[in-house]
DNA sequence: ATAATAATAGTCAATATTAGTCAAAGAATG
DNA sequence: CATTCTTTGACTAATATTGACTATTATTAT
């Protein structure tokens, strides 16, 4: 723990390389194969590094495009100061989410000034029963949980 | 490697070129082979750019004529009011909705001042692939369409 | 007028160029 | 030793580029 140099694997080196760029820039845009070549690893290891070290929990959002001129862009975002509410809501959701519980969550978000009325309305529309119905109430609850978690993760940061 | 926007693909460059003209004009009228020559691509790539980036969902209508003096004209459409925008977007969605088309729709909502940046990103979170994925790409597109329509209908009377 | 030819744009499928997924193998850790 | 983390590569998916072939319209020749 004390010394920084020791015991760094290649994934750590790639992480450090990218974060050094991000220290001076709001974002970094890479070509996956270039970075893989630079560190002499297979391209999919770049995905591994991104998936384990550049998550939204760490304050990064990632977007990419395939095909000619494709890229991966990692962007730093400013996490909100108080995301305890979000963390506990996400933890409480688990695998499935009923309509009733989802309404409680939206109410909680509103009470904590994390969303306004209009945003609440959009979220409720997104998880509306008729919209996500799958003729299978279990699947509907799973879908509702997934969508809600995705939205809560989005609320972690500003902008 | 931080913010520089080099390395765009040629289709993106052509898109940008045309949209720069459209920023100052209601329409742009081109000769396909001229634009192809300007960017050193085959003529049919102009069709590819138009079909992927100047659709009605994006707020453009395209008309063309073949033969001597032929042309392609791209015109910005001006929808009369917010309800018109929402109605035409809903009508255009149909049964399935790809990720790419959904992003175009959100962009159009933003361009027409129907949603702000934050609302846009909440919507994108709600229809994110990882959120609504069901290990079945057809079902994913169906789910995305349903959710988007639900949200658009909400915006219709939410004001 | 009509037919032939030239001058355009459109379609579609093959190929190229990227990134993503997933599971197995290997390495490190406790 | 068991568990977790890392590394690898085969397979998949998305997007871009290319070119052969087709369709339409204008112009020219008969």
């Amino acid at each position: 723990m004390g010394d920084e140099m020791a015991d760094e694997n290649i994934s750590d080196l790639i992480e450090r390389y990218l974060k050094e760029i991000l220290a001076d820039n709001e974002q970094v845009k890479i070509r996956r194969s270039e970075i893989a070549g630079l560190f002499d690893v297979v391209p999919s290891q770049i995905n591994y590094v991104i998936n384990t070290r550049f998550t939204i929990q760490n304050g990064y959002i990632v977007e990419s495009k395939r095909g000619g001129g494709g890229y991966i862009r990692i962007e730093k975002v400013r996490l909100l100061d108080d995301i305890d509410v979000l963390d506990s809501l996400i933890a409480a959701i688990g695998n499935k989410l009923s309509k009733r519980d989802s309404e409680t969550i939206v109410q909680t978000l509103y009470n904590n000034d994390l969303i306004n009325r209009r945003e609440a309305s959009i979220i409720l529309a997104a998880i509306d029963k008729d919209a996500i119905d799958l003729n299978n109430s279990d699947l509907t609850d799973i879908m509702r949980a997934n969508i809600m978690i995705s939205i809560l993760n989005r609320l972690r940061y500003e902008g």
Side-chain angles (χ1 to χ4, degrees), chain A:
Chain A
M1 276 320 203
D3 272 45
E4 309 268 334
M5 286 300 136
D7 73 359
E8 269 188 326
N9 57 43
I10 298 183
S11 289
D12 290 337
L13 292 178
I14 296 169
E15 174 189 10
R16 196 145 58 94
Y17 172 80
L18 294 173
K19 287 191 173 168
E20 269 163 19
I21 298 172
L22 285 166
D24 301 327
N25 301 276
E26 278 307 298
Q27 60 170 49
V28 54
K29 187 175 174 185
I30 63 171
R31 175 151 307 174
R32 188 178 74 154
S33 60
E34 266 181 22
I35 303 299
L38 193 58
F39 289 92
D40 195 29
V41 297
V42 296
S44 63
Q45 182 151 1
I46 307 306
N47 296 91
Y48 174 74
V49 172
I50 286 172
N51 290 333
T52 55
R53 292 151 164 89
F54 292 90
T55 65
I56 183 58
Q57 284 81 7
N58 292 320
Y60 300 95
I61 55 179
V62 179
E63 66 178 38
S64 61
K65 197 164 83 164
R66 306 184 195 188
Y71 59 83
I72 301 175
R73 177 164 44 212
I74 305 173
E75 193 181 345
K76 249 189 321 193
V77 293
R78 226 190 80 203
L79 291 176
L80 294 176
D81 292 335
D82 179 25
I83 52 180
D84 289 350
V85 178
L86 293 172
D87 285 335
S88 54
L89 285 175
I90 290 170
I93 287 178
N95 188 28
K96 303 198 296 182
L97 182 65
S98 69
K99 174 168 156 59
R100 185 198 179 95
D101 286 347
S102 68
E103 284 163 356
T104 303
I105 288 175
V106 171
Q107 185 66 49
T108 302
L109 294 172
Y110 180 75
N111 291 343
N112 284 275
D113 289 325
L114 286 164
I115 58 174
N116 59 32
R117 271 187 195 285
R118 188 178 153 87
E119 288 157 0
S121 177
I122 291 173
I123 293 171
L124 289 173
I127 58 174
D128 182 78
K129 177 183 170 305
D130 292 333
I132 64 176
D133 189 32
L134 291 162
N135 280 339
N136 176 326
S137 71
D138 259 14
L139 269 184
T140 300
D141 283 359
I142 292 171
M143 182 65 57
R144 189 182 285 111
N146 288 346
I147 295 171
M148 184 64 83
I149 289 173
S150 179
I151 291 171
L152 291 175
N153 274 319
R154 170 55 188 84
L155 295 177
R156 285 173 177 277
Y157 58 90
E158 274 183 354

